[in-house]
Every structure is written in structure tokens, then in C-alpha cells.
Amino acid sequence: MPAPKDTPESSSPVAVATRQAALAALAAEPFDMLVVGGGITGAGVAREAALAGFRTALLERDDFASGTSSRSSRLVHGGVRYLEHGHLGLVFESSRERRLLLALAPHLVRPLAFTWPVYGGARVPLWKVRAGLALYDALSLFRNAPHHALNRGDVLAAEPALAPDGMVGGARYWDAATDDSRLTLASALAAREAGASVANHVAVVAGIHANGSEGRLTGVAAEDRLTGATFPIRARVVINATGPWSDATAALTGSPQGTQLFGSAGAHIAVPRNRVGNNDAVTLVSPLDGRVMFVLPSGVHTIIGTTERPAHAGPDDIRATRAEVTYLLQSVNRCFPFAQLTMDDVVSAWCGIRPLAAVRAGEHSANAASREHAITHRADGLVSITGGKLTTYRAMAADVLSHARNELPKSGGVPTAAHEARPSESTPLPGGDIVSREATVSEARATVRDAAVGERLALAYGSRWRNVWSYVQRDGSLGSRLSDSLPYLLAEVAHAVEREMAASLSDVLVRRTHVAFETRDNGRAAARRIAPLMGTLLRWSEHETAQQLVAYDRDVARLFTIDDV
């Protein structure tokens, strides 16, 4: 499907026509690779396959990044915590992939300084922190910014709000921050721009097999969840990249398979940054139980996380619990004594399920389970991937594609490439072709004349920020903020609908922006403000607009309610 043009259309139904074309393409032609699941892994696989020249389709039941990929710590990191469990190969791979993503998407993946304070009697003593970070540097082949040992005064100079009593020193090291949902979206858009047919809100309802249910999997029956229409999609290889839903997807497309999936739930909270007082990121060893956790800057908020426990609820129903939120608050209060955070300070709380693959014998705890990925082949040709983490998604995608290539001869020979292959490790993600992050931010600020909004546009859209700003140039009313306290414009709503496949209020307020995470009403007021605009762009009737508001309220209640357990 061709990508939308780079100038805004004067006719409002452009998004409707674009989606209709995408669905028609899915039903009209057989594909080499059909990727099911639009999280970071599936979007990465679709990009990898499309760049390699394969006829590729990507389906997402809800919206891109609507599962775990929008409920992370928003870090692209080497995995310093994994050193304790001996996952050295994963740390090496993560360090390499972090370096690549900093180059491929410099607007979305940005260096972030971490201060690690160490207190006397801590589970991880000072010598071990410094030795671990030295190993961390070595596993990156010394290509990333090296860590620095800090004395007590250095730590307090970097993070003066930390508790000074008992502090014996610390260290400073570098990882990277990201916008998890927009990184996922950028990968899906990259797949589309490389020639893939891409659609969200399309669910797999059954598998299609040659010669009856015992034959090879040759495609899926799909349902457009926005209209209820069903249609077949033919493919030579079907790739299951649905994360926590992997077992359910496998069952839908044929017989269930043992994937050794180990669901680990992790909760985060957002609080006002001025209540904590952190300057940059801080790595803490919780005084409560010795778990390594993070305090992360995120605009006017601080993100605190994460917890880890076996996931006993399904991925659609997982939420942060009051016990988890209390644990995070108490841990930070012990380390930032002037914060004195309470439940009233929590702007939002969320929880996601990490689909860990327990590939090592005896790993039965969330902390010990490997973040490495596992790929399985079912007898009928279904290729499934489980495990892994956001940082390594590109490497995981390349591995999945290698496995999927092996299935192609079984379906009738190796296909002729749709176009010349391009290497994923040197092809920037959409918006990533900028000379420098600082120059792009400066240019956007000067043009927009609102420093916060300019920075938001530059860091969310990179070289394409002017595409969003062009909506304001066409219609000045779209230059208004969604919320007075947040740097999001109404223009982003129109852009999300017309160019980024947003089809619901949640698509815009939870994933294209982070309004739902950054307002105490989880974006409910903003939803009522943008509903008329989205209704015009998507041809909603008054009844449909009212239904969308009800659906949004239900969605954010599902995501952000704190369970009383």
C-alpha cells in the first residue's frame, strides 16, 4: 500500500480511504510473510521482511503497541540488571542494538545519564556496582559512553535530593530513553513505506490450511474490528508475534503449541517530577527488598518502576495493584526523603506483561527468567516468537526472518524479491534522517515559537515534524494544545488519523501521545475535546462518537485502575 502523501489533504475522508485501500490489499494478493501482532516485535519483523524484499503483511488486533509495548519503562538499555543473572550474551546484544537505535531513530532514542547511589549495607555493594559497570562497558566493546566512579559528594552534586545518610559513593553510566509506543509505530510505518500492507484493528479469527485442518497453514481468516467484515488473507508463512497472546494466537490458527511462555507482570507509576526532585535517571536498589529499580525523568513527570511478579491475569486484564504502587512509593521515599510521596501524588499507574521465554532449566521466577527470545516452528509452518525485550527487537526480527525463510521452500519455492533488499541496521526509521537532535529541536522551537511544543514535535517526529506543523498552517485552530499543561497540539490528532492509522480515541491519547499517562483523569477531558475532530475525519455519526467516548472511558479504566489487592 502506498504511504500517504506528505501534504495534508483538504478532504476529510483521507483516513477512511487509506484504510479501505489497506484492507483491499490484504485480501487481494497472497503474501510471502504474514506477521500477526503489531507490538514492537511484530512491527520489527514486518519492517525486516519488507526491507528484505518479501511481500509482507502486518496485522494488529487492536492498535500498534496496545499491549506490552506501550507499558514499558521507556528505556533502550543494555540491561545492567541482567548481569547478576549471568545473561552476558543478552547484555552484549542489547548494547549493540542500543547503539544502532541511537543512530537509526535519534529523535525517538536519546542518551540518558543514570546515577547509581550506593549506601552502606546495601545488597549490591559499591565494589560490585563498579565491577558490574566495568563489565557493562566491556560488553559494549567500549563503544558506548563509559561509566564513571563517583564519591559521595559527586553523587549528591548530581542528584542533591537523594538521602545523604549512609551514602558511601556511587557511579554514573549511560543508557537511552525512548518513546515506546512511537518507536513501535515508527517500525510499523517503516514496514509500510518499505512496501508492506499494514493494518491495525484487524483480528485473526481462524487459520486457513491446505488440504483440511491437517495441512500446511496457508493464511488466516481476518475480521475488521471496526466494521465486522471478514475476509481471507493468504500467505506462504504466518509469523506469530503476539507476545502474551502467543498461545491464544497459536490455538486460533491451529493446534496449540508449547511455547514455554512465562508471563511476568511489571508495574510503573508516574508522579510529578518536582515532588521527587531527580535531575536525570537514578538507579536504585530498593531498601525494602534489594530489587534494582529506576527513577526516570519524563517531561514534568517522573516514572518509577518496575515491579516484577508472575502474571496471574490475562494480558487484557493486567493492572497495577495497590501493593505494587505502595512498594514503589515507599522505595522512592526512603531514597528521596523530602519527596514523601503518597497515593495522592500518583498521576497514573500501569502494568504490562513481559512474555518471557523460560529457556533455562530451573528458571521459575520472574526475576530469573531470561529476556532472551525463543522461536518455534509448528508442524504446519507457523513460526512463533516469544520472549525478548524492546531494546533487542531489531535483532529478534532478523532472527525470526531467518527462521521464516526456512519455511518458504516448504510452501513452494523461494519467491522473487518484490524489490531490492535494504539492510535494516543502516536504514533509518521514519523521521530518523536528521543531522542532529539539537539542531532539529532548535529549528522546531524557532518555527513554532513555543519551546515545549517545538521540542515535542522534533522528538516525536524527527525530520517529519513539519508534516504535523503543516496542519496548523492550514488551520490555525489546530495549533491549540490538547491540555494546557502538556505540549501536545490538536494538529497531532489530525496527523495521527490521516497518516498514522489512528482509528480510536485511545489510539491518539494513549499511544500517539501520552496524554492518558500524564493527566489525572487519564485523558478523559481531552477525549471529549478531540472527539468531534476525529469524528469529522473518520466520518463518525453522533451515535458513533458517543460510543467512542464510552469505549475510551472503559479502555482507560481497564489500563489505569489500581486494583485493591
Side-chain angles (χ1 to χ4, degrees), residues 222-395:
E223 178 187 16
D224 178 3
R225 300 187 74 199
L226 302 184
T227 66
T230 59
F231 52 93
I233 304 174
R234 300 286 177 174
R236 300 172 69 185
V237 179
V238 178
I239 299 169
N240 174 11
T242 54
W245 293 269
S246 289
D247 291 344
T249 301
L252 277 175
T253 58
S255 59
Q257 61 182 17
T259 58
Q260 293 185 293
L261 185 64
F262 186 91
S264 166
H268 298 80
I269 58 174
V271 301
R273 189 168 169 183
N274 59 12
R275 294 283 286 115
V276 180
N278 59 303
N279 289 327
D280 290 308
V282 180
T283 301
L284 299 176
V285 175
S286 171
L288 303 183
D289 63 358
R291 174 174 170 74
V292 175
M293 55 184 291
F294 300 116
V295 174
L296 306 166
S298 180
V300 298
H301 297 98
T302 289
I303 293 175
I304 303 169
T306 178
T307 60
E308 194 151 27
R309 59 179 166 89
H312 297 301
D316 290 320
D317 302 311
I318 197 74
R319 284 179 292 274
T321 67
R322 185 167 291 273
E324 288 173 315
V325 173
T326 299
Y327 163 82
L328 294 172
L329 293 172
Q330 290 179 346
S331 295
V332 170
N333 283 339
R334 292 275 294 273
C335 298
F336 289 85
F338 295 105
Q340 294 303 297
L341 298 169
T342 69
M343 291 293 292
D344 291 338
D345 292 302
V346 177
V347 176
S348 62
W350 63 94
C351 189
I353 295 181
R354 309 173 189 91
L356 306 181
V359 296
R360 299 180 180 213
E363 288 182 337
H364 301 297
S365 74
N367 280 330
S370 175
R371 267 62 174 174
E372 294 167 339
H373 63 275
I375 300 173
T376 59
H377 295 244
R378 200 168 62 189
D380 64 359
L382 179 71
V383 177
S384 295
I385 177 169
T386 54
K389 64 197 195 82
L390 184 150
T391 302
T392 58
Y393 86 96
R394 192 210 60 86

Side-chain angles (χ1 to χ4, degrees), residues 83 117 346 517 563:
L83 292 174
V346 177
F517 291 84
D563 284 342

